Amino acid sequence: MNANFITRIFIYFLASYFPILIMSQSFIQQDFIFENSSSATTPKEKRKRKNVGGRPKSIVWGTHATQGVKVSEGHYEATCIYCNHFWNKGSPQELEAHFANECPKIPADTRQFFLNRLATKAEGDITNLAAKKRKLNNGSSNQTKISEFHESTTLSDERIHEIHRACVKAFVVCGIAWHVIENPFFIEFLKTLRPGYTPPSKEILSGRLLDQETAVINQRIIKELKNSKNLTLCKY
């Protein structure tokens, strides 16, 4: 089963369960602009942020969302400046997902910017992992390591991220309820397969990880639409 077929199946089920995230009418009708997400920040802005002590302020505040009263650490009352959607307890991650996948009035170039950011977070670690594997294979002999004969109890961040992505796809395509990820028997099952893996909470799985994977799928949809000819869209 090739990768394109699996991707199309995932897109179908994601669209079925989360239609507003992927194929809203305003989302399709916009002209999408492909650009490197890092190009949206000028050198002057980078120097300015670098000189500020502590954690840098998220790019969503001020330009894309109005920051309200602080509710808890990292969470604020927030309002989208494009569609006026209000969060009682919003985080920069939630707002970025909204701009990338949900907001019906956001400009096309801004949506693409946040799509790039989320997709980079989802696919960046996997790209780094593949590069490291190639480097190791090119620089070492074919001798089998003793570590390959037993299951390691320690996993790299890249490997954990790769398993997280596989979990999101499995839960969406198979229609598995998010709370199953916290079921003790399901956790035991995962531990049996991979002792070093600790699954994420249902909030992280259905929130940040799903948002990132949705952005990856949205990017692929946009590219397919832009490369398609004689495309006809109809509304029932």
Side-chain angles (χ1 to χ4, degrees):
M1 186 179 294
N2 60 45
N4 288 335
F5 180 71
I6 295 176
T7 298
R8 290 181 181 275
I9 293 177
F10 184 58
I11 291 174
Y12 171 77
F13 278 94
L14 198 59
S16 299
Y17 285 95
F18 310 97
I20 190 173
L21 294 181
I22 295 183
M23 299 300 290
S24 64
Q25 184 176 0
S26 61
F27 186 85
I28 297 176
Q29 290 177 343
Q30 295 189 33
D31 294 327
F32 295 96
I33 300 175
F34 293 87
E35 60 180 16
N36 191 329
S37 59
S38 61
S39 63
T41 305
T42 64
K44 184 177 180 180
E45 290 174 336
K46 290 181 180 179
R47 288 195 300 270
K48 184 178 180 180
R49 290 179 184 175
K50 189 175 181 180
N51 294 333
V52 177
R55 173 179 285 186
K57 187 176 181 180
S58 173
I59 61 172
V60 302
W61 302 124
T63 306
H64 309 287
T66 303
Q67 185 178 19
V69 179
K70 183 176 181 180
V71 179
S72 62
E73 187 63 33
H75 292 82
Y76 300 83
E77 290 184 351
T79 305
C80 172
I81 67 169
Y82 304 108
C83 67
N84 292 323
H85 182 82
F86 177 76
W87 289 265
N88 290 316
K89 187 179 180 181
S91 66
Q93 292 80 9
E94 290 176 300
L95 270 65
E96 286 192 26
H98 170 75
F99 298 139
N101 300 318
E102 301 174 20
C103 184
K105 297 182 179 180
I106 191 170
D109 57 341
T110 305
R111 183 191 299 280
Q112 189 63 50
F113 171 80
F114 284 104
L115 272 174
N116 290 341
R117 281 178 62 86
L118 288 185
T120 299
K121 291 177 182 178
E123 295 189 315
D125 289 337
I126 304 304
T127 302
N128 294 336
L129 177 62
K132 288 181 180 179
K133 286 182 177 179
R134 287 194 298 270
K135 185 176 181 180
L136 290 175
N137 292 336
N138 294 334
S140 61
S141 64
N142 293 327
Q143 183 177 0
T144 303
K145 298 179 181 179
I146 191 172
S147 60
E148 296 178 6
F149 289 96
H150 65 87
E151 294 178 297
S152 175
T153 56
T154 303
L155 298 177
S156 65
D157 292 340
E158 292 86 356
R159 183 58 176 159
I160 292 173
H161 186 74
E162 187 177 21
I163 300 175
H164 282 350
R165 291 191 68 191
C167 275
V168 172
K169 294 177 183 178
F171 271 66
V172 172
V173 173
C174 299
I176 303 173
W178 298 115
H179 65 81
V180 173
I181 196 69
E182 296 180 347
N183 185 289
F185 292 98
F186 189 77
I187 294 175
E188 182 182 0
F189 166 69
L190 294 176
K191 289 289 186 181
T192 302
L193 295 175
R194 199 66 173 176
Y197 177 66
T198 300
S201 66
K202 63 181 180 181
E203 288 79 16
I204 293 178
L205 186 68
S206 62
R208 174 170 55 86
L209 296 176
L210 176 62
D211 291 336
Q212 291 177 3
E213 204 60 39
T214 302
V216 173
I217 298 301
N218 278 338
Q219 274 197 329
R220 294 175 184 174
I221 292 174
I222 293 169
K223 290 179 181 179
E224 285 200 22
L225 291 176
K226 290 184 73 69
N227 295 330
S228 299
K229 296 181 180 179
N230 301 322
L231 182 65
T232 301
L233 299 178
C234 62
K235 183 176 182 181
Y236 291 98

